[in-house]
Amino acid sequence: MLGSAPRPRLLPDRAFPPYAYLPGRFPHPLRHPEGHSYDAEPDATVRVDAALTSEAFRWGVDLFNFGYYWEAHEAWEGLWQTSREAPGQRTFLHALILLCAAGVKLREGKDVPALRHARRAAGLLRALRYQRDFTAAIGMPPEELADRAEADALAGARLHASVSPIPRAAFAFTIVPD
């Protein structure tokens, strides 16, 4: 059951944004003067070998677990951009970013695009199934995350549609790094 257990915070001292962005419904966080991250300083660059244990990664996990999917994508995108020399890690981060896109679509009640993003993410995650670094980063084997994400996306908008600025997790699973 979604929301049946409390979701742990990894960075409890860091405040969540005042709203979870949904395209066309709220001010764009970066481009609009009323956006929650307008004029915000970008996160510091993180070394590739430290990315999956970094504060930036953990912040993305917190955002994702609590329904801030667009914001989680932003937190992980910088790590993805700097991982050009680590193709497995780049694939892993790409998969997480696709899950963020699926989460946004689920919150919007758009089943078909949500499932498409979740399936693309699942394909990438299944390609990483024997890599322990990724299991530790998300607290489960990548193929398990793939299965859970697809199942939740298949459940679709009938369970998760929420266009409220107050975020609501669209996925029943929680990412909890080891």
Side-chain angles (χ1 to χ4, degrees):
M1 176 80 188
L2 190 60
S4 62
R7 291 173 181 252
R9 284 289 309 267
L10 301 178
L11 302 172
D13 294 332
R14 193 163 177 182
F16 283 132
Y19 62 88
Y21 178 65
L22 290 175
R25 302 196 193 263
F26 309 110
H28 189 281
L30 301 174
R31 295 191 297 254
H32 194 281
E34 293 175 15
H36 64 60
S37 297
Y38 187 74
D39 278 343
E41 293 293 319
D43 285 337
T45 303
V46 176
R47 289 187 348 251
V48 171
D49 63 332
L52 299 182
T53 57
S54 69
E55 182 173 327
F57 181 79
R58 295 170 72 78
W59 178 234
V61 170
D62 268 353
L63 291 165
F64 183 92
N65 284 339
F66 285 85
Y68 291 88
Y69 299 111
W70 186 91
E71 293 80 2
H73 158 261
E74 285 295 306
W76 288 331
E77 187 169 358
L79 299 173
W80 174 78
Q81 288 175 349
T82 61
S83 65
R84 294 189 202 295
E85 302 302 317
Q89 181 170 295
R90 189 169 173 84
T91 297
F92 175 70
L93 290 165
H94 186 196
L96 294 180
I97 289 168
L98 285 168
L99 287 181
C100 292
V104 168
K105 295 304 178 191
L106 285 169
R107 286 203 57 229
E108 291 178 311
K110 296 180 178 178
D111 306 31
V112 173
L115 185 56
R116 183 174 54 245
H117 289 307
R119 284 183 170 154
R120 286 180 57 210
L124 294 174
L125 289 165
R126 288 186 180 107
L128 301 169
R129 66 177 165 244
Y130 298 113
Q131 299 189 33
R132 278 199 261 284
D133 290 347
F134 305 127
T135 296
I138 56 177
M140 68 185 91
E143 64 272 20
E144 182 179 335
L145 179 57
D147 293 344
R148 289 180 176 200
E150 280 184 321
D152 286 356
L154 278 168
R158 74 173 190 276
L159 297 176
H160 307 303
S162 170
V163 294
S164 166
I166 300 166
R168 181 173 163 212
F171 296 103
F173 61 84
T174 304
I175 295 173
V176 183
D178 292 344

